[in-house]
Amino acid sequence: DQQVKQNSPSLSVQEGRISILNCDYTNSMFDYFLWYKKYPAEGPTFLISISSIKDKNEDGRFTVFLNKSAKHLSLHIVPSQPGDSAVYFCAAGYGGATNKLIFGTGTLLAVQP
Amino acid sequence: DTAVSQTPKYLVTQMGNDKSIKCEQNLGHDTMYWYKQDSKKFLKIMFSYNNKELIINETVPNRFSPKSPDKAHLNLHINSLELGDSAVYFCASSFWTGENGYTFGSGTRLTVV
């Protein structure tokens, strides 16, 4: 029963172009969504979040879009840099709190120089 | 000045043994977690503690016993280790409510042989 899904296991983009990572969820009770970035042999690092009352949140090169009707969110990275190469996890939580996050399986982003 | 530190980073042990993983955070967070990342890369919550009180116990076998001596520490003890326990275990911490999700440790790779 996978409530948070990242259907693309990997994505390759050229440096300077836009990277778009997608995430779908099934539970309409989720009201908080986050993206994490993970390098090998390290723990996930928080990147950006969005509350269900918003449809967009931006932080520098990173923008998260939320489409509640489609139960879909996406992370846009513009422009992509080689240092962005990592696994990106989407996560969702309940009740306005960040306890018990449900994670997707991750998308491996490779940014080619 | 590691924010969330886990020890050991690697642990190789035989089936049937008992082992512990330690976790400490210096962020002043009041909630700590254990997550397991299995071979399919799923990150699944196992336990969460808020101010030393067990909040979440996600259908984890009784062989796994978390202990939180204070809100800065959450240790994980595993009895009678099985092959299927091989995974990467991540400790994390957060405030009970907040916008920045969790801060993760770098993980402990447990291999049961």
Side-chain angles (χ1 to χ4, degrees):
Chain A
D1 180 21
Q2 204 176 330
Q3 298 183 65
V4 179
K5 300 179 185 180
Q6 293 176 256
N7 292 319
S8 297
S10 63
L11 174 68
S12 181
V13 300
Q14 288 294 121
E15 181 178 4
R17 307 293 287 267
I18 184 170
S19 295
I20 300 176
L21 297 106
N22 293 304
C23 178
D24 297 297
Y25 61 95
T26 57
N27 192 334
S28 57
M29 298 297 291
F30 289 138
D31 62 2
Y32 212 80
F33 304 90
L34 307 94
W35 284 94
Y36 282 81
K37 177 179 177 179
K38 185 182 181 301
Y39 292 117
E42 294 184 12
T45 302
F46 170 75
L47 200 54
I48 192 168
S49 64
I50 188 167
S51 163
S52 61
I53 62 174
K54 296 183 178 180
D55 55 20
K56 178 183 174 181
N57 189 25
E58 193 171 351
D59 183 2
R61 296 186 297 115
F62 302 92
T63 303
V64 56
F65 294 93
L66 176 63
N67 182 335
K68 282 187 295 184
S69 61
K71 293 191 177 69
H72 178 83
L73 67 154
S74 61
L75 174 68
H76 292 209
I77 307 173
V78 182
S80 301
Q81 299 173 354
D84 296 330
S85 298
V87 176
Y88 289 78
F89 288 97
C90 167
Y94 299 91
T98 56
N99 51 322
K100 191 171 179 178
L101 292 179
I102 309 296
F103 283 81
T105 49
T107 297
L108 174 62
L109 172 65
V111 180
Q112 310 296 336
Chain B
D1 280 5
T2 306
V4 180
S5 60
Q6 298 179 226
T7 54
K9 192 167 179 67
Y10 300 97
L11 185 52
V12 181
T13 188
Q14 290 187 325
M15 282 175 51
N17 284 350
D18 303 338
K19 289 294 177 185
S20 292
I21 306 172
K22 295 186 176 181
C23 180
E24 176 181 3
Q25 57 96 2
N26 62 5
L27 296 166
H29 289 159
D30 56 9
T31 307
M32 295 185 72
Y33 316 81
W34 279 109
Y35 271 77
K36 177 180 179 180
Q37 186 178 33
D38 61 22
S39 58
K40 293 184 179 179
K41 305 303 181 187
F42 283 106
L43 260 171
K44 288 187 179 176
I45 190 166
M46 301 173 67
F47 302 102
S48 80
Y49 272 73
N50 175 254
N51 285 319
K52 305 193 298 175
E53 182 180 344
L54 180 65
I55 301 299
I56 295 173
N57 181 343
E58 288 283 310
T59 59
V60 177
N62 291 337
R63 299 182 294 102
F64 290 78
S65 55
K67 283 194 170 49
S68 182
D70 55 62
K71 67 178 187 179
H73 295 83
L74 180 61
N75 303 322
L76 184 65
H77 189 75
I78 315 170
N79 289 327
S80 304
L81 278 155
E82 300 177 358
L83 293 177
D85 297 331
S86 296
V88 181
Y89 292 84
F90 288 100
C91 177
S93 70
S94 75
F95 292 111
W96 179 248
T97 59
E99 293 186 359
N100 291 337
Y102 303 169
T103 302
F104 280 87
S106 58
T108 296
R109 181 173 293 276
L110 171 66
T111 304
V112 182
V113 298

